[in-house]
PDB file of all heavy atoms in Angstrom:
ATOM      1  N   CYS O   1       0.219 -17.495   1.525  1.00 95.00           N
ATOM      2  CA  CYS O   1       1.604 -17.032   1.338  1.00 95.00           C
ATOM      3  C   CYS O   1       1.719 -16.140   0.117  1.00 95.00           C
ATOM      4  O   CYS O   1       2.445 -15.136   0.144  1.00 95.00           O
ATOM      5  CB  CYS O   1       2.528 -18.230   1.219  1.00 95.00           C
ATOM      6  SG  CYS O   1       2.670 -19.232   2.733  1.00 95.00           S
ATOM      7  N   LEU O   2       1.015 -16.502  -0.938  1.00 94.00           N
ATOM      8  CA  LEU O   2       1.085 -15.724  -2.177  1.00 94.00           C
ATOM      9  C   LEU O   2       0.557 -14.306  -1.950  1.00 94.00           C
ATOM     10  O   LEU O   2       1.109 -13.333  -2.470  1.00 94.00           O
ATOM     11  CB  LEU O   2       0.292 -16.420  -3.281  1.00 94.00           C
ATOM     12  CG  LEU O   2       0.529 -15.898  -4.694  1.00 94.00           C
ATOM     13  CD1 LEU O   2       1.951 -16.192  -5.147  1.00 94.00           C
ATOM     14  CD2 LEU O   2      -0.461 -16.503  -5.667  1.00 94.00           C
ATOM     15  N   GLY O   3      -0.539 -14.194  -1.180  1.00 94.00           N
ATOM     16  CA  GLY O   3      -1.079 -12.869  -0.895  1.00 94.00           C
ATOM     17  C   GLY O   3      -0.090 -12.012  -0.141  1.00 94.00           C
ATOM     18  O   GLY O   3       0.059 -10.801  -0.422  1.00 94.00           O
ATOM     19  N   GLY O   4       0.615 -12.629   0.837  1.00 94.00           N
ATOM     20  CA  GLY O   4       1.592 -11.879   1.616  1.00 94.00           C
ATOM     21  C   GLY O   4       2.805 -11.460   0.817  1.00 94.00           C
ATOM     22  O   GLY O   4       3.467 -10.466   1.172  1.00 94.00           O
ATOM     23  N   LEU O   5       3.111 -12.206  -0.240  1.00 95.00           N
ATOM     24  CA  LEU O   5       4.278 -11.878  -1.077  1.00 95.00           C
ATOM     25  C   LEU O   5       3.909 -10.937  -2.243  1.00 95.00           C
ATOM     26  O   LEU O   5       4.639  -9.987  -2.540  1.00 95.00           O
ATOM     27  CB  LEU O   5       4.909 -13.152  -1.640  1.00 95.00           C
ATOM     28  CG  LEU O   5       5.579 -14.084  -0.627  1.00 95.00           C
ATOM     29  CD1 LEU O   5       5.940 -15.405  -1.301  1.00 95.00           C
ATOM     30  CD2 LEU O   5       6.791 -13.443  -0.013  1.00 95.00           C
ATOM     31  N   LEU O   6       2.767 -11.208  -2.884  1.00 95.00           N
ATOM     32  CA  LEU O   6       2.431 -10.511  -4.109  1.00 95.00           C
ATOM     33  C   LEU O   6       1.912  -9.087  -3.886  1.00 95.00           C
ATOM     34  O   LEU O   6       2.276  -8.173  -4.627  1.00 95.00           O
ATOM     35  CB  LEU O   6       1.412 -11.295  -4.915  1.00 95.00           C
ATOM     36  CG  LEU O   6       1.941 -12.348  -5.877  1.00 95.00           C
ATOM     37  CD1 LEU O   6       0.820 -12.894  -6.735  1.00 95.00           C
ATOM     38  CD2 LEU O   6       3.033 -11.786  -6.758  1.00 95.00           C
ATOM     39  N   MET O   7       1.051  -8.880  -2.887  1.00 95.00           N
ATOM     40  CA  MET O   7       0.463  -7.540  -2.728  1.00 95.00           C
ATOM     41  C   MET O   7       1.534  -6.495  -2.383  1.00 95.00           C
ATOM     42  O   MET O   7       1.521  -5.415  -3.004  1.00 95.00           O
ATOM     43  CB  MET O   7      -0.639  -7.555  -1.691  1.00 95.00           C
ATOM     44  CG  MET O   7      -1.303  -6.173  -1.503  1.00 95.00           C
ATOM     45  SD  MET O   7      -1.927  -5.453  -3.062  1.00 95.00           S
ATOM     46  CE  MET O   7      -3.522  -6.225  -3.178  1.00 95.00           C
ATOM     47  N   PRO O   8       2.468  -6.736  -1.455  1.00 94.00           N
ATOM     48  CA  PRO O   8       3.534  -5.735  -1.276  1.00 94.00           C
ATOM     49  C   PRO O   8       4.332  -5.499  -2.539  1.00 94.00           C
ATOM     50  O   PRO O   8       4.733  -4.361  -2.832  1.00 94.00           O
ATOM     51  CB  PRO O   8       4.408  -6.345  -0.154  1.00 94.00           C
ATOM     52  CG  PRO O   8       3.488  -7.261   0.588  1.00 94.00           C
ATOM     53  CD  PRO O   8       2.570  -7.823  -0.465  1.00 94.00           C
ATOM     54  N   LEU O   9       4.550  -6.579  -3.327  1.00 95.00           N
ATOM     55  CA  LEU O   9       5.300  -6.427  -4.584  1.00 95.00           C
ATOM     56  C   LEU O   9       4.511  -5.579  -5.581  1.00 95.00           C
ATOM     57  O   LEU O   9       5.058  -4.682  -6.220  1.00 95.00           O
ATOM     58  CB  LEU O   9       5.614  -7.798  -5.160  1.00 95.00           C
ATOM     59  CG  LEU O   9       6.325  -7.813  -6.526  1.00 95.00           C
ATOM     60  CD1 LEU O   9       7.695  -7.149  -6.428  1.00 95.00           C
ATOM     61  CD2 LEU O   9       6.448  -9.250  -7.042  1.00 95.00           C
ATOM     62  N   LEU O  10       3.201  -5.847  -5.699  1.00 94.00           N
ATOM     63  CA  LEU O  10       2.377  -5.078  -6.618  1.00 94.00           C
ATOM     64  C   LEU O  10       2.318  -3.604  -6.208  1.00 94.00           C
ATOM     65  O   LEU O  10       2.321  -2.712  -7.080  1.00 94.00           O
ATOM     66  CB  LEU O  10       0.964  -5.670  -6.657  1.00 94.00           C
ATOM     67  CG  LEU O  10       0.815  -7.020  -7.375  1.00 94.00           C
ATOM     68  CD1 LEU O  10      -0.612  -7.569  -7.204  1.00 94.00           C
ATOM     69  CD2 LEU O  10       1.142  -6.877  -8.854  1.00 94.00           C
ATOM     70  N   LEU O  11       2.289  -3.370  -4.913  1.00 93.00           N
ATOM     71  CA  LEU O  11       2.236  -1.965  -4.451  1.00 93.00           C
ATOM     72  C   LEU O  11       3.552  -1.240  -4.712  1.00 93.00           C
ATOM     73  O   LEU O  11       3.559  -0.025  -4.885  1.00 93.00           O
ATOM     74  CB  LEU O  11       1.897  -1.934  -2.950  1.00 93.00           C
ATOM     75  CG  LEU O  11       0.420  -2.171  -2.609  1.00 93.00           C
ATOM     76  CD1 LEU O  11       0.241  -2.358  -1.107  1.00 93.00           C
ATOM     77  CD2 LEU O  11      -0.443  -1.048  -3.132  1.00 93.00           C
ATOM     78  N   ARG O  12       4.661  -1.980  -4.750  1.00 93.00           N
ATOM     79  CA  ARG O  12       5.935  -1.351  -5.116  1.00 93.00           C
ATOM     80  C   ARG O  12       6.007  -1.094  -6.607  1.00 93.00           C
ATOM     81  O   ARG O  12       6.527  -0.067  -7.043  1.00 93.00           O
ATOM     82  CB  ARG O  12       7.114  -2.218  -4.656  1.00 93.00           C
ATOM     83  CG  ARG O  12       7.409  -2.129  -3.171  1.00 93.00           C
ATOM     84  CD  ARG O  12       8.778  -2.680  -2.857  1.00 93.00           C
ATOM     85  NE  ARG O  12       8.879  -4.109  -3.092  1.00 93.00           N
ATOM     86  CZ  ARG O  12       8.580  -5.042  -2.195  1.00 93.00           C
ATOM     87  NH1 ARG O  12       8.154  -4.697  -0.989  1.00 93.00           N
ATOM     88  NH2 ARG O  12       8.703  -6.319  -2.482  1.00 93.00           N
ATOM     89  N   LEU O  13       5.497  -2.041  -7.392  1.00 93.00           N
ATOM     90  CA  LEU O  13       5.537  -1.879  -8.852  1.00 93.00           C
ATOM     91  C   LEU O  13       4.516  -0.872  -9.327  1.00 93.00           C
ATOM     92  O   LEU O  13       4.764  -0.105 -10.277  1.00 93.00           O
ATOM     93  CB  LEU O  13       5.296  -3.233  -9.528  1.00 93.00           C
ATOM     94  CG  LEU O  13       6.353  -4.313  -9.326  1.00 93.00           C
ATOM     95  CD1 LEU O  13       5.921  -5.621  -9.937  1.00 93.00           C
ATOM     96  CD2 LEU O  13       7.697  -3.853  -9.913  1.00 93.00           C
ATOM     97  N   PHE O  14       3.334  -0.878  -8.690  1.00 92.00           N
ATOM     98  CA  PHE O  14       2.235   0.031  -9.083  1.00 92.00           C
ATOM     99  C   PHE O  14       1.750   0.769  -7.841  1.00 92.00           C
ATOM    100  O   PHE O  14       0.744   0.371  -7.249  1.00 92.00           O
ATOM    101  CB  PHE O  14       1.091  -0.760  -9.736  1.00 92.00           C
ATOM    102  CG  PHE O  14       1.539  -1.672 -10.833  1.00 92.00           C
ATOM    103  CD1 PHE O  14       1.690  -3.037 -10.599  1.00 92.00           C
ATOM    104  CD2 PHE O  14       1.824  -1.177 -12.106  1.00 92.00           C
ATOM    105  CE1 PHE O  14       2.117  -3.890 -11.610  1.00 92.00           C
ATOM    106  CE2 PHE O  14       2.236  -2.013 -13.109  1.00 92.00           C
ATOM    107  CZ  PHE O  14       2.379  -3.370 -12.874  1.00 92.00           C
ATOM    108  N   PRO O  15       2.460   1.774  -7.382  1.00 88.00           N
ATOM    109  CA  PRO O  15       2.121   2.442  -6.121  1.00 88.00           C
ATOM    110  C   PRO O  15       0.693   3.018  -6.135  1.00 88.00           C
ATOM    111  O   PRO O  15       0.197   3.477  -7.187  1.00 88.00           O
ATOM    112  CB  PRO O  15       3.173   3.565  -6.019  1.00 88.00           C
ATOM    113  CG  PRO O  15       4.274   3.135  -6.919  1.00 88.00           C
ATOM    114  CD  PRO O  15       3.634   2.367  -8.026  1.00 88.00           C
ATOM    115  N   ALA O  16       0.074   2.962  -4.975  1.00 80.00           N
ATOM    116  CA  ALA O  16      -1.269   3.524  -4.835  1.00 80.00           C
ATOM    117  C   ALA O  16      -1.157   5.064  -4.904  1.00 80.00           C
ATOM    118  O   ALA O  16      -0.141   5.653  -4.510  1.00 80.00           O
ATOM    119  CB  ALA O  16      -1.877   3.116  -3.503  1.00 80.00           C
ATOM    120  N   PRO O  17      -2.214   5.721  -5.415  1.00 76.00           N
ATOM    121  CA  PRO O  17      -2.223   7.181  -5.398  1.00 76.00           C
ATOM    122  C   PRO O  17      -2.036   7.716  -3.980  1.00 76.00           C
ATOM    123  O   PRO O  17      -2.581   7.165  -3.015  1.00 76.00           O
ATOM    124  CB  PRO O  17      -3.628   7.531  -5.941  1.00 76.00           C
ATOM    125  CG  PRO O  17      -4.019   6.328  -6.745  1.00 76.00           C
ATOM    126  CD  PRO O  17      -3.414   5.155  -6.048  1.00 76.00           C
ATOM    127  N   THR O  18      -1.225   8.738  -3.862  1.00 68.00           N
ATOM    128  CA  THR O  18      -0.934   9.310  -2.538  1.00 68.00           C
ATOM    129  C   THR O  18      -2.144  10.089  -2.033  1.00 68.00           C
ATOM    130  O   THR O  18      -2.686  10.933  -2.732  1.00 68.00           O
ATOM    131  CB  THR O  18       0.295  10.254  -2.607  1.00 68.00           C
ATOM    132  OG1 THR O  18       1.388   9.511  -3.135  1.00 68.00           O
ATOM    133  CG2 THR O  18       0.624  10.791  -1.231  1.00 68.00           C
ATOM    134  N   LEU O  19      -2.542   9.776  -0.797  1.00 67.00           N
ATOM    135  CA  LEU O  19      -3.672  10.453  -0.176  1.00 67.00           C
ATOM    136  C   LEU O  19      -3.181  11.198   1.065  1.00 67.00           C
ATOM    137  O   LEU O  19      -2.389  10.668   1.838  1.00 67.00           O
ATOM    138  CB  LEU O  19      -4.771   9.457   0.243  1.00 67.00           C
ATOM    139  CG  LEU O  19      -5.398   8.643  -0.886  1.00 67.00           C
ATOM    140  CD1 LEU O  19      -6.469   7.712  -0.323  1.00 67.00           C
ATOM    141  CD2 LEU O  19      -6.002   9.539  -1.948  1.00 67.00           C
ATOM    142  N   ASP O  20      -3.671  12.387   1.252  1.00 59.00           N
ATOM    143  CA  ASP O  20      -3.358  13.167   2.434  1.00 59.00           C
ATOM    144  C   ASP O  20      -4.375  12.821   3.506  1.00 59.00           C
ATOM    145  O   ASP O  20      -5.498  13.300   3.508  1.00 59.00           O
ATOM    146  CB  ASP O  20      -3.426  14.682   2.139  1.00 59.00           C
ATOM    147  CG  ASP O  20      -3.110  15.519   3.364  1.00 59.00           C
ATOM    148  OD1 ASP O  20      -2.590  14.947   4.343  1.00 59.00           O
ATOM    149  OD2 ASP O  20      -3.395  16.735   3.336  1.00 59.00           O
ATOM    150  N   LEU O  21      -3.965  11.943   4.447  1.00 57.00           N
ATOM    151  CA  LEU O  21      -4.883  11.459   5.479  1.00 57.00           C
ATOM    152  C   LEU O  21      -4.479  11.957   6.842  1.00 57.00           C
ATOM    153  O   LEU O  21      -4.702  11.293   7.850  1.00 57.00           O
ATOM    154  CB  LEU O  21      -4.948   9.939   5.474  1.00 57.00           C
ATOM    155  CG  LEU O  21      -5.565   9.324   4.207  1.00 57.00           C
ATOM    156  CD1 LEU O  21      -5.405   7.815   4.225  1.00 57.00           C
ATOM    157  CD2 LEU O  21      -7.025   9.689   4.099  1.00 57.00           C
ATOM    158  N   ALA O  22      -3.842  13.085   6.914  1.00 48.00           N
ATOM    159  CA  ALA O  22      -3.426  13.633   8.205  1.00 48.00           C
ATOM    160  C   ALA O  22      -4.622  13.792   9.116  1.00 48.00           C
ATOM    161  O   ALA O  22      -5.629  14.357   8.759  1.00 48.00           O
ATOM    162  CB  ALA O  22      -2.736  14.977   7.997  1.00 48.00           C
ATOM    163  N   GLY O  23      -4.493  13.190  10.306  1.00 48.00           N
ATOM    164  CA  GLY O  23      -5.562  13.304  11.281  1.00 48.00           C
ATOM    165  C   GLY O  23      -6.645  12.271  11.141  1.00 48.00           C
ATOM    166  O   GLY O  23      -7.553  12.228  11.939  1.00 48.00           O
ATOM    167  N   HIS O  24      -6.573  11.402  10.124  1.00 52.00           N
ATOM    168  CA  HIS O  24      -7.604  10.374   9.946  1.00 52.00           C
ATOM    169  C   HIS O  24      -7.163   9.100  10.627  1.00 52.00           C
ATOM    170  O   HIS O  24      -6.166   8.508  10.288  1.00 52.00           O
ATOM    171  CB  HIS O  24      -7.850  10.109   8.478  1.00 52.00           C
ATOM    172  CG  HIS O  24      -9.121   9.344   8.234  1.00 52.00           C
ATOM    173  ND1 HIS O  24     -10.209   9.893   7.612  1.00 52.00           N
ATOM    174  CD2 HIS O  24      -9.464   8.095   8.564  1.00 52.00           C
ATOM    175  CE1 HIS O  24     -11.177   9.016   7.558  1.00 52.00           C
ATOM    176  NE2 HIS O  24     -10.731   7.895   8.121  1.00 52.00           N
ATOM    177  N   GLY O  25      -7.953   8.650  11.586  1.00 48.00           N
ATOM    178  CA  GLY O  25      -7.644   7.385  12.273  1.00 48.00           C
ATOM    179  C   GLY O  25      -6.444   7.517  13.197  1.00 48.00           C
ATOM    180  O   GLY O  25      -5.958   8.586  13.512  1.00 48.00           O
ATOM    181  N   GLU O  26      -5.950   6.365  13.632  1.00 47.00           N
ATOM    182  CA  GLU O  26      -4.839   6.330  14.540  1.00 47.00           C
ATOM    183  C   GLU O  26      -3.529   6.540  13.806  1.00 47.00           C
ATOM    184  O   GLU O  26      -3.391   6.221  12.641  1.00 47.00           O
ATOM    185  CB  GLU O  26      -4.779   4.954  15.268  1.00 47.00           C
ATOM    186  CG  GLU O  26      -6.130   4.556  15.888  1.00 47.00           C
ATOM    187  CD  GLU O  26      -6.962   3.696  14.944  1.00 47.00           C
ATOM    188  OE1 GLU O  26      -6.727   3.791  13.721  1.00 47.00           O
ATOM    189  OE2 GLU O  26      -7.846   3.005  15.424  1.00 47.00           O
ATOM    190  N   ALA O  27      -2.557   7.061  14.501  1.00 44.00           N
ATOM    191  CA  ALA O  27      -1.226   7.254  13.882  1.00 44.00           C
ATOM    192  C   ALA O  27      -0.456   5.940  13.927  1.00 44.00           C
ATOM    193  O   ALA O  27      -0.596   5.173  14.855  1.00 44.00           O
ATOM    194  CB  ALA O  27      -0.459   8.326  14.638  1.00 44.00           C
ATOM    195  N   PRO O  28       0.337   5.664  12.888  1.00 46.00           N
ATOM    196  CA  PRO O  28       1.139   4.454  12.913  1.00 46.00           C
ATOM    197  C   PRO O  28       2.108   4.442  14.075  1.00 46.00           C
ATOM    198  O   PRO O  28       2.632   5.463  14.485  1.00 46.00           O
ATOM    199  CB  PRO O  28       1.893   4.505  11.577  1.00 46.00           C
ATOM    200  CG  PRO O  28       1.114   5.456  10.720  1.00 46.00           C
ATOM    201  CD  PRO O  28       0.508   6.441  11.658  1.00 46.00           C
TER     202      PRO O  28
END
């Protein structure tokens, strides 16, 4: 439960560097 709560919170507080992944893998 902690992993499901904390990681989204950490990503909001400390956003990951933006990567341009157009065309990589499947589209959401």
Side-chain angles (χ1 to χ4, degrees):
C1 294
L2 193 67
L5 292 171
L6 273 189
M7 181 54 85
L9 177 62
L10 288 173
L11 283 170
R12 283 196 294 271
L13 294 175
F14 309 100
T18 303
L19 299 181
D20 179 14
L21 293 173
H24 195 112
E26 308 93 338

